[in-house]
PDB file of all heavy atoms in Angstrom:
ATOM      1  N   MET M  24     168.281 111.463 145.166  1.00 81.00           N
ATOM      2  CA  MET M  24     167.177 112.106 144.465  1.00 81.00           C
ATOM      3  C   MET M  24     167.657 113.341 143.704  1.00 81.00           C
ATOM      4  O   MET M  24     167.176 113.647 142.610  1.00 81.00           O
ATOM      5  CB  MET M  24     166.081 112.494 145.468  1.00 81.00           C
ATOM      6  CG  MET M  24     164.803 113.025 144.815  1.00 81.00           C
ATOM      7  SD  MET M  24     163.442 113.176 145.979  1.00 81.00           S
ATOM      8  CE  MET M  24     164.179 114.179 147.251  1.00 81.00           C
ATOM      9  N   ILE M  25     168.664 114.032 144.237  1.00 81.00           N
ATOM     10  CA  ILE M  25     169.231 115.183 143.529  1.00 81.00           C
ATOM     11  C   ILE M  25     169.953 114.728 142.270  1.00 81.00           C
ATOM     12  O   ILE M  25     169.886 115.382 141.210  1.00 81.00           O
ATOM     13  CB  ILE M  25     170.166 115.970 144.475  1.00 81.00           C
ATOM     14  CG1 ILE M  25     169.353 116.640 145.587  1.00 81.00           C
ATOM     15  CG2 ILE M  25     170.979 117.004 143.727  1.00 81.00           C
ATOM     16  CD1 ILE M  25     170.201 117.329 146.619  1.00 81.00           C
ATOM     17  N   LYS M  26     170.649 113.624 142.377  1.00 83.00           N
ATOM     18  CA  LYS M  26     171.366 113.102 141.203  1.00 83.00           C
ATOM     19  C   LYS M  26     170.408 112.699 140.084  1.00 83.00           C
ATOM     20  O   LYS M  26     170.709 112.874 138.909  1.00 83.00           O
ATOM     21  CB  LYS M  26     172.220 111.897 141.603  1.00 83.00           C
ATOM     22  CG  LYS M  26     173.392 112.256 142.508  1.00 83.00           C
ATOM     23  CD  LYS M  26     174.160 111.004 142.926  1.00 83.00           C
ATOM     24  CE  LYS M  26     175.304 111.342 143.882  1.00 83.00           C
ATOM     25  NZ  LYS M  26     176.035 110.147 144.330  1.00 83.00           N
ATOM     26  N   LYS M  27     169.212 112.170 140.458  1.00 79.00           N
ATOM     27  CA  LYS M  27     168.249 111.777 139.430  1.00 79.00           C
ATOM     28  C   LYS M  27     167.608 112.979 138.751  1.00 79.00           C
ATOM     29  O   LYS M  27     167.144 112.891 137.622  1.00 79.00           O
ATOM     30  CB  LYS M  27     167.161 110.913 140.061  1.00 79.00           C
ATOM     31  CG  LYS M  27     167.656 109.545 140.516  1.00 79.00           C
ATOM     32  CD  LYS M  27     166.513 108.748 141.139  1.00 79.00           C
ATOM     33  CE  LYS M  27     166.992 107.386 141.616  1.00 79.00           C
ATOM     34  NZ  LYS M  27     165.909 106.609 142.238  1.00 79.00           N
ATOM     35  N   GLY M  28     167.498 114.151 139.449  1.00 72.00           N
ATOM     36  CA  GLY M  28     166.846 115.326 138.876  1.00 72.00           C
ATOM     37  C   GLY M  28     165.365 115.363 139.267  1.00 72.00           C
ATOM     38  O   GLY M  28     164.827 114.439 139.880  1.00 72.00           O
ATOM     39  N   TYR M  29     164.702 116.469 138.901  1.00 68.00           N
ATOM     40  CA  TYR M  29     163.298 116.672 139.273  1.00 68.00           C
ATOM     41  C   TYR M  29     162.534 117.115 138.029  1.00 68.00           C
ATOM     42  O   TYR M  29     162.884 118.112 137.393  1.00 68.00           O
ATOM     43  CB  TYR M  29     163.195 117.752 140.361  1.00 68.00           C
ATOM     44  CG  TYR M  29     161.786 117.964 140.859  1.00 68.00           C
ATOM     45  CD1 TYR M  29     161.168 117.005 141.649  1.00 68.00           C
ATOM     46  CD2 TYR M  29     161.077 119.097 140.504  1.00 68.00           C
ATOM     47  CE1 TYR M  29     159.876 117.195 142.110  1.00 68.00           C
ATOM     48  CE2 TYR M  29     159.784 119.294 140.952  1.00 68.00           C
ATOM     49  CZ  TYR M  29     159.186 118.336 141.766  1.00 68.00           C
ATOM     50  OH  TYR M  29     157.909 118.522 142.205  1.00 68.00           O
ATOM     51  N   ASP M  30     161.493 116.380 137.671  1.00 69.00           N
ATOM     52  CA  ASP M  30     160.699 116.647 136.465  1.00 69.00           C
ATOM     53  C   ASP M  30     159.289 117.046 136.909  1.00 69.00           C
ATOM     54  O   ASP M  30     158.566 116.241 137.522  1.00 69.00           O
ATOM     55  CB  ASP M  30     160.664 115.399 135.577  1.00 69.00           C
ATOM     56  CG  ASP M  30     159.948 115.676 134.260  1.00 69.00           C
ATOM     57  OD1 ASP M  30     159.781 116.881 133.938  1.00 69.00           O
ATOM     58  OD2 ASP M  30     159.547 114.713 133.591  1.00 69.00           O
ATOM     59  N   LEU M  31     158.882 118.311 136.639  1.00 71.00           N
ATOM     60  CA  LEU M  31     157.571 118.830 137.030  1.00 71.00           C
ATOM     61  C   LEU M  31     156.804 119.184 135.753  1.00 71.00           C
ATOM     62  O   LEU M  31     157.180 120.098 135.016  1.00 71.00           O
ATOM     63  CB  LEU M  31     157.721 120.067 137.908  1.00 71.00           C
ATOM     64  CG  LEU M  31     156.420 120.648 138.469  1.00 71.00           C
ATOM     65  CD1 LEU M  31     155.744 119.632 139.405  1.00 71.00           C
ATOM     66  CD2 LEU M  31     156.701 121.943 139.224  1.00 71.00           C
ATOM     67  N   THR M  32     155.699 118.495 135.509  1.00 77.00           N
ATOM     68  CA  THR M  32     154.903 118.732 134.307  1.00 77.00           C
ATOM     69  C   THR M  32     153.978 119.927 134.508  1.00 77.00           C
ATOM     70  O   THR M  32     153.589 120.242 135.639  1.00 77.00           O
ATOM     71  CB  THR M  32     154.075 117.475 133.983  1.00 77.00           C
ATOM     72  OG1 THR M  32     153.231 117.185 135.093  1.00 77.00           O
ATOM     73  CG2 THR M  32     154.992 116.274 133.742  1.00 77.00           C
ATOM     74  N   PRO M  33     153.583 120.629 133.454  1.00 78.00           N
ATOM     75  CA  PRO M  33     152.667 121.781 133.596  1.00 78.00           C
ATOM     76  C   PRO M  33     151.288 121.381 134.072  1.00 78.00           C
ATOM     77  O   PRO M  33     150.541 122.219 134.582  1.00 78.00           O
ATOM     78  CB  PRO M  33     152.607 122.355 132.174  1.00 78.00           C
ATOM     79  CG  PRO M  33     153.821 121.848 131.480  1.00 78.00           C
ATOM     80  CD  PRO M  33     154.110 120.502 132.077  1.00 78.00           C
ATOM     81  N   GLU M  34     150.913 120.117 133.917  1.00 83.00           N
ATOM     82  CA  GLU M  34     149.595 119.673 134.353  1.00 83.00           C
ATOM     83  C   GLU M  34     149.577 119.225 135.808  1.00 83.00           C
ATOM     84  O   GLU M  34     148.552 118.678 136.286  1.00 83.00           O
ATOM     85  CB  GLU M  34     149.104 118.522 133.460  1.00 83.00           C
ATOM     86  CG  GLU M  34     148.788 118.894 132.033  1.00 83.00           C
ATOM     87  CD  GLU M  34     150.049 119.000 131.171  1.00 83.00           C
ATOM     88  OE1 GLU M  34     151.129 118.586 131.673  1.00 83.00           O
ATOM     89  OE2 GLU M  34     149.949 119.486 130.036  1.00 83.00           O
ATOM     90  N   ALA M  35     150.650 119.423 136.518  1.00 81.00           N
ATOM     91  CA  ALA M  35     150.690 119.006 137.916  1.00 81.00           C
ATOM     92  C   ALA M  35     149.718 119.858 138.741  1.00 81.00           C
ATOM     93  O   ALA M  35     149.434 121.020 138.423  1.00 81.00           O
ATOM     94  CB  ALA M  35     152.109 119.121 138.472  1.00 81.00           C
ATOM     95  N   ILE M  36     149.190 119.253 139.799  1.00 84.00           N
ATOM     96  CA  ILE M  36     148.194 119.948 140.643  1.00 84.00           C
ATOM     97  C   ILE M  36     148.810 121.168 141.310  1.00 84.00           C
ATOM     98  O   ILE M  36     148.185 122.233 141.402  1.00 84.00           O
ATOM     99  CB  ILE M  36     147.617 118.963 141.671  1.00 84.00           C
ATOM    100  CG1 ILE M  36     146.906 117.803 140.957  1.00 84.00           C
ATOM    101  CG2 ILE M  36     146.673 119.676 142.635  1.00 84.00           C
ATOM    102  CD1 ILE M  36     146.387 116.743 141.901  1.00 84.00           C
ATOM    103  N   SER M  37     150.032 121.031 141.763  1.00 83.00           N
ATOM    104  CA  SER M  37     150.669 122.156 142.449  1.00 83.00           C
ATOM    105  C   SER M  37     150.892 123.331 141.506  1.00 83.00           C
ATOM    106  O   SER M  37     150.736 124.501 141.897  1.00 83.00           O
ATOM    107  CB  SER M  37     151.996 121.702 143.060  1.00 83.00           C
ATOM    108  OG  SER M  37     152.845 121.174 142.054  1.00 83.00           O
ATOM    109  N   VAL M  38     151.216 123.032 140.257  1.00 86.00           N
ATOM    110  CA  VAL M  38     151.440 124.099 139.275  1.00 86.00           C
ATOM    111  C   VAL M  38     150.122 124.808 138.955  1.00 86.00           C
ATOM    112  O   VAL M  38     150.057 126.043 138.864  1.00 86.00           O
ATOM    113  CB  VAL M  38     152.081 123.513 138.003  1.00 86.00           C
ATOM    114  CG1 VAL M  38     152.211 124.599 136.920  1.00 86.00           C
ATOM    115  CG2 VAL M  38     153.449 122.934 138.309  1.00 86.00           C
ATOM    116  N   LYS M  39     149.059 124.033 138.770  1.00 88.00           N
ATOM    117  CA  LYS M  39     147.760 124.634 138.489  1.00 88.00           C
ATOM    118  C   LYS M  39     147.266 125.478 139.674  1.00 88.00           C
ATOM    119  O   LYS M  39     146.702 126.561 139.484  1.00 88.00           O
ATOM    120  CB  LYS M  39     146.743 123.532 138.168  1.00 88.00           C
ATOM    121  CG  LYS M  39     147.010 122.841 136.835  1.00 88.00           C
ATOM    122  CD  LYS M  39     145.920 121.839 136.525  1.00 88.00           C
ATOM    123  CE  LYS M  39     146.143 121.181 135.171  1.00 88.00           C
ATOM    124  NZ  LYS M  39     145.079 120.209 134.835  1.00 88.00           N
ATOM    125  N   ALA M  40     147.483 125.007 140.903  1.00 89.00           N
ATOM    126  CA  ALA M  40     147.076 125.774 142.084  1.00 89.00           C
ATOM    127  C   ALA M  40     147.853 127.076 142.187  1.00 89.00           C
ATOM    128  O   ALA M  40     147.295 128.140 142.521  1.00 89.00           O
ATOM    129  CB  ALA M  40     147.273 124.938 143.346  1.00 89.00           C
ATOM    130  N   ALA M  41     149.133 127.043 141.856  1.00 88.00           N
ATOM    131  CA  ALA M  41     149.942 128.259 141.902  1.00 88.00           C
ATOM    132  C   ALA M  41     149.476 129.263 140.843  1.00 88.00           C
ATOM    133  O   ALA M  41     149.408 130.476 141.100  1.00 88.00           O
ATOM    134  CB  ALA M  41     151.416 127.906 141.690  1.00 88.00           C
ATOM    135  N   LYS M  42     149.125 128.760 139.643  1.00 87.00           N
ATOM    136  CA  LYS M  42     148.632 129.660 138.596  1.00 87.00           C
ATOM    137  C   LYS M  42     147.299 130.293 138.992  1.00 87.00           C
ATOM    138  O   LYS M  42     147.073 131.490 138.758  1.00 87.00           O
ATOM    139  CB  LYS M  42     148.482 128.881 137.280  1.00 87.00           C
ATOM    140  CG  LYS M  42     149.799 128.544 136.598  1.00 87.00           C
ATOM    141  CD  LYS M  42     149.556 127.823 135.281  1.00 87.00           C
ATOM    142  CE  LYS M  42     150.866 127.515 134.570  1.00 87.00           C
ATOM    143  NZ  LYS M  42     150.637 126.828 133.265  1.00 87.00           N
ATOM    144  N   ALA M  43     146.405 129.489 139.578  1.00 86.00           N
ATOM    145  CA  ALA M  43     145.112 130.021 139.994  1.00 86.00           C
ATOM    146  C   ALA M  43     145.272 131.084 141.094  1.00 86.00           C
ATOM    147  O   ALA M  43     144.621 132.138 141.071  1.00 86.00           O
ATOM    148  CB  ALA M  43     144.214 128.888 140.487  1.00 86.00           C
ATOM    149  N   SER M  44     146.144 130.855 142.035  1.00 86.00           N
ATOM    150  CA  SER M  44     146.404 131.842 143.088  1.00 86.00           C
ATOM    151  C   SER M  44     146.986 133.121 142.509  1.00 86.00           C
ATOM    152  O   SER M  44     146.657 134.231 142.950  1.00 86.00           O
ATOM    153  CB  SER M  44     147.357 131.255 144.130  1.00 86.00           C
ATOM    154  OG  SER M  44     146.804 130.094 144.719  1.00 86.00           O
ATOM    155  N   ARG M  45     147.854 132.977 141.521  1.00 84.00           N
ATOM    156  CA  ARG M  45     148.448 134.172 140.898  1.00 84.00           C
ATOM    157  C   ARG M  45     147.389 134.976 140.161  1.00 84.00           C
ATOM    158  O   ARG M  45     147.390 136.220 140.217  1.00 84.00           O
ATOM    159  CB  ARG M  45     149.549 133.743 139.932  1.00 84.00           C
ATOM    160  CG  ARG M  45     150.287 134.905 139.270  1.00 84.00           C
ATOM    161  CD  ARG M  45     151.145 134.397 138.146  1.00 84.00           C
ATOM    162  NE  ARG M  45     150.308 133.782 137.126  1.00 84.00           N
ATOM    163  CZ  ARG M  45     150.804 133.102 136.073  1.00 84.00           C
ATOM    164  NH1 ARG M  45     152.111 132.942 135.933  1.00 84.00           N
ATOM    165  NH2 ARG M  45     149.991 132.579 135.180  1.00 84.00           N
ATOM    166  N   ASP M  46     146.463 134.284 139.464  1.00 81.00           N
ATOM    167  CA  ASP M  46     145.407 135.013 138.748  1.00 81.00           C
ATOM    168  C   ASP M  46     144.465 135.743 139.710  1.00 81.00           C
ATOM    169  O   ASP M  46     143.984 136.841 139.422  1.00 81.00           O
ATOM    170  CB  ASP M  46     144.601 134.036 137.879  1.00 81.00           C
ATOM    171  CG  ASP M  46     145.448 133.450 136.752  1.00 81.00           C
ATOM    172  OD1 ASP M  46     146.475 134.085 136.407  1.00 81.00           O
ATOM    173  OD2 ASP M  46     145.096 132.375 136.234  1.00 81.00           O
ATOM    174  N   ILE M  47     144.189 135.106 140.849  1.00 82.00           N
ATOM    175  CA  ILE M  47     143.318 135.751 141.831  1.00 82.00           C
ATOM    176  C   ILE M  47     143.969 137.008 142.402  1.00 82.00           C
ATOM    177  O   ILE M  47     143.331 138.042 142.574  1.00 82.00           O
ATOM    178  CB  ILE M  47     142.968 134.749 142.951  1.00 82.00           C
ATOM    179  CG1 ILE M  47     142.080 133.630 142.395  1.00 82.00           C
ATOM    180  CG2 ILE M  47     142.268 135.442 144.122  1.00 82.00           C
ATOM    181  CD1 ILE M  47     141.850 132.496 143.362  1.00 82.00           C
ATOM    182  N   ALA M  48     145.250 136.917 142.680  1.00 79.00           N
ATOM    183  CA  ALA M  48     145.960 138.061 143.260  1.00 79.00           C
ATOM    184  C   ALA M  48     146.413 139.069 142.217  1.00 79.00           C
ATOM    185  O   ALA M  48     146.900 140.145 142.560  1.00 79.00           O
ATOM    186  CB  ALA M  48     147.177 137.564 144.045  1.00 79.00           C
ATOM    187  N   SER M  49     146.222 138.773 140.964  1.00 81.00           N
ATOM    188  CA  SER M  49     146.712 139.669 139.911  1.00 81.00           C
ATOM    189  C   SER M  49     145.803 140.889 139.776  1.00 81.00           C
ATOM    190  O   SER M  49     144.586 140.777 139.659  1.00 81.00           O
ATOM    191  CB  SER M  49     146.782 138.920 138.583  1.00 81.00           C
ATOM    192  OG  SER M  49     147.141 139.806 137.537  1.00 81.00           O
ATOM    193  N   ASP M  50     146.380 142.093 139.780  1.00 78.00           N
ATOM    194  CA  ASP M  50     145.612 143.322 139.611  1.00 78.00           C
ATOM    195  C   ASP M  50     145.135 143.460 138.162  1.00 78.00           C
ATOM    196  O   ASP M  50     144.086 144.068 137.901  1.00 78.00           O
ATOM    197  CB  ASP M  50     146.499 144.517 140.003  1.00 78.00           C
ATOM    198  CG  ASP M  50     145.716 145.820 140.032  1.00 78.00           C
ATOM    199  OD1 ASP M  50     144.838 145.956 140.909  1.00 78.00           O
ATOM    200  OD2 ASP M  50     145.987 146.689 139.176  1.00 78.00           O
ATOM    201  N   TYR M  51     145.864 142.910 137.278  1.00 76.00           N
ATOM    202  CA  TYR M  51     145.478 142.973 135.859  1.00 76.00           C
ATOM    203  C   TYR M  51     144.183 142.194 135.630  1.00 76.00           C
ATOM    204  O   TYR M  51     143.253 142.682 134.970  1.00 76.00           O
ATOM    205  CB  TYR M  51     146.611 142.416 135.000  1.00 76.00           C
ATOM    206  CG  TYR M  51     146.287 142.382 133.513  1.00 76.00           C
ATOM    207  CD1 TYR M  51     146.371 143.534 132.726  1.00 76.00           C
ATOM    208  CD2 TYR M  51     145.880 141.184 132.911  1.00 76.00           C
ATOM    209  CE1 TYR M  51     146.059 143.492 131.376  1.00 76.00           C
ATOM    210  CE2 TYR M  51     145.572 141.139 131.558  1.00 76.00           C
ATOM    211  CZ  TYR M  51     145.668 142.301 130.798  1.00 76.00           C
ATOM    212  OH  TYR M  51     145.363 142.257 129.469  1.00 76.00           O
ATOM    213  N   LYS M  52     144.102 140.983 136.189  1.00 75.00           N
ATOM    214  CA  LYS M  52     142.894 140.192 136.048  1.00 75.00           C
ATOM    215  C   LYS M  52     141.720 140.843 136.795  1.00 75.00           C
ATOM    216  O   LYS M  52     140.578 140.744 136.371  1.00 75.00           O
ATOM    217  CB  LYS M  52     143.141 138.781 136.608  1.00 75.00           C
ATOM    218  CG  LYS M  52     144.097 137.939 135.774  1.00 75.00           C
ATOM    219  CD  LYS M  52     143.427 137.466 134.501  1.00 75.00           C
ATOM    220  CE  LYS M  52     144.326 136.507 133.725  1.00 75.00           C
ATOM    221  NZ  LYS M  52     143.683 136.073 132.471  1.00 75.00           N
ATOM    222  N   TYR M  53     142.047 141.527 137.889  1.00 77.00           N
ATOM    223  CA  TYR M  53     141.000 142.149 138.690  1.00 77.00           C
ATOM    224  C   TYR M  53     140.325 143.283 137.911  1.00 77.00           C
ATOM    225  O   TYR M  53     139.109 143.489 137.999  1.00 77.00           O
ATOM    226  CB  TYR M  53     141.618 142.685 139.991  1.00 77.00           C
ATOM    227  CG  TYR M  53     140.645 143.393 140.886  1.00 77.00           C
ATOM    228  CD1 TYR M  53     139.665 142.687 141.586  1.00 77.00           C
ATOM    229  CD2 TYR M  53     140.689 144.772 141.023  1.00 77.00           C
ATOM    230  CE1 TYR M  53     138.766 143.332 142.395  1.00 77.00           C
ATOM    231  CE2 TYR M  53     139.782 145.436 141.832  1.00 77.00           C
ATOM    232  CZ  TYR M  53     138.825 144.716 142.520  1.00 77.00           C
ATOM    233  OH  TYR M  53     137.928 145.374 143.325  1.00 77.00           O
ATOM    234  N   LYS M  54     141.100 144.027 137.110  1.00 81.00           N
ATOM    235  CA  LYS M  54     140.577 145.175 136.364  1.00 81.00           C
ATOM    236  C   LYS M  54     140.274 144.848 134.904  1.00 81.00           C
ATOM    237  O   LYS M  54     140.014 145.759 134.114  1.00 81.00           O
ATOM    238  CB  LYS M  54     141.564 146.330 136.426  1.00 81.00           C
ATOM    239  CG  LYS M  54     141.789 146.865 137.825  1.00 81.00           C
ATOM    240  CD  LYS M  54     142.750 148.026 137.821  1.00 81.00           C
ATOM    241  CE  LYS M  54     142.950 148.581 139.228  1.00 81.00           C
ATOM    242  NZ  LYS M  54     143.899 149.706 139.259  1.00 81.00           N
ATOM    243  N   GLU M  55     140.322 143.577 134.556  1.00 82.00           N
ATOM    244  CA  GLU M  55     140.107 143.200 133.155  1.00 82.00           C
ATOM    245  C   GLU M  55     138.666 143.486 132.721  1.00 82.00           C
ATOM    246  O   GLU M  55     138.403 144.030 131.655  1.00 82.00           O
ATOM    247  CB  GLU M  55     140.435 141.723 132.975  1.00 82.00           C
ATOM    248  CG  GLU M  55     140.337 141.260 131.524  1.00 82.00           C
ATOM    249  CD  GLU M  55     140.740 139.803 131.361  1.00 82.00           C
ATOM    250  OE1 GLU M  55     141.055 139.158 132.395  1.00 82.00           O
ATOM    251  OE2 GLU M  55     140.733 139.319 130.220  1.00 82.00           O
ATOM    252  N   GLY M  56     137.699 143.133 133.572  1.00 78.00           N
ATOM    253  CA  GLY M  56     136.297 143.387 133.234  1.00 78.00           C
ATOM    254  C   GLY M  56     136.006 144.879 133.131  1.00 78.00           C
ATOM    255  O   GLY M  56     135.220 145.313 132.277  1.00 78.00           O
ATOM    256  N   TYR M  57     136.638 145.687 133.992  1.00 78.00           N
ATOM    257  CA  TYR M  57     136.420 147.138 133.947  1.00 78.00           C
ATOM    258  C   TYR M  57     136.964 147.730 132.634  1.00 78.00           C
ATOM    259  O   TYR M  57     136.326 148.595 132.029  1.00 78.00           O
ATOM    260  CB  TYR M  57     137.094 147.786 135.154  1.00 78.00           C
ATOM    261  CG  TYR M  57     137.154 149.285 135.094  1.00 78.00           C
ATOM    262  CD1 TYR M  57     136.004 150.053 135.255  1.00 78.00           C
ATOM    263  CD2 TYR M  57     138.361 149.931 134.859  1.00 78.00           C
ATOM    264  CE1 TYR M  57     136.054 151.426 135.192  1.00 78.00           C
ATOM    265  CE2 TYR M  57     138.425 151.307 134.791  1.00 78.00           C
ATOM    266  CZ  TYR M  57     137.272 152.051 134.957  1.00 78.00           C
ATOM    267  OH  TYR M  57     137.328 153.415 134.895  1.00 78.00           O
ATOM    268  N   ARG M  58     138.114 147.236 132.201  1.00 78.00           N
ATOM    269  CA  ARG M  58     138.694 147.756 130.946  1.00 78.00           C
ATOM    270  C   ARG M  58     137.865 147.349 129.731  1.00 78.00           C
ATOM    271  O   ARG M  58     137.776 148.093 128.750  1.00 78.00           O
ATOM    272  CB  ARG M  58     140.126 147.245 130.811  1.00 78.00           C
ATOM    273  CG  ARG M  58     141.119 147.964 131.713  1.00 78.00           C
ATOM    274  CD  ARG M  58     142.544 147.651 131.291  1.00 78.00           C
ATOM    275  NE  ARG M  58     142.835 146.238 131.514  1.00 78.00           N
ATOM    276  CZ  ARG M  58     143.343 145.755 132.639  1.00 78.00           C
ATOM    277  NH1 ARG M  58     143.588 146.564 133.649  1.00 78.00           N
ATOM    278  NH2 ARG M  58     143.587 144.465 132.770  1.00 78.00           N
ATOM    279  N   LYS M  59     137.222 146.195 129.830  1.00 79.00           N
ATOM    280  CA  LYS M  59     136.374 145.777 128.712  1.00 79.00           C
ATOM    281  C   LYS M  59     135.134 146.667 128.593  1.00 79.00           C
ATOM    282  O   LYS M  59     134.643 146.888 127.477  1.00 79.00           O
ATOM    283  CB  LYS M  59     135.949 144.326 128.886  1.00 79.00           C
ATOM    284  CG  LYS M  59     137.082 143.327 128.654  1.00 79.00           C
ATOM    285  CD  LYS M  59     136.581 141.907 128.823  1.00 79.00           C
ATOM    286  CE  LYS M  59     137.698 140.898 128.559  1.00 79.00           C
ATOM    287  NZ  LYS M  59     137.227 139.496 128.723  1.00 79.00           N
TER     288      LYS M  59
END
């Protein structure tokens, strides 16, 4: 499996879940409404 390589698309469920978790924990996103 290492010899074949690993292809992860941006639309994968794991990638989307990681992005959503990062946005929730992001202080920038948390204070975005206040700055507006």
Side-chain angles (χ1 to χ4, degrees):
M24 187 169 54
I25 292 175
K26 292 177 182 178
K27 291 180 181 179
Y29 183 71
D30 185 16
L31 184 63
T32 59
E34 292 80 10
I36 299 176
S37 58
V38 175
K39 291 184 178 181
K42 286 182 178 181
S44 300
R45 183 191 62 188
D46 294 339
I47 292 172
S49 175
D50 188 67
Y51 178 79
K52 291 286 186 181
Y53 178 72
K54 297 181 179 179
E55 184 177 2
Y57 170 71
R58 284 194 294 270
K59 288 181 179 180

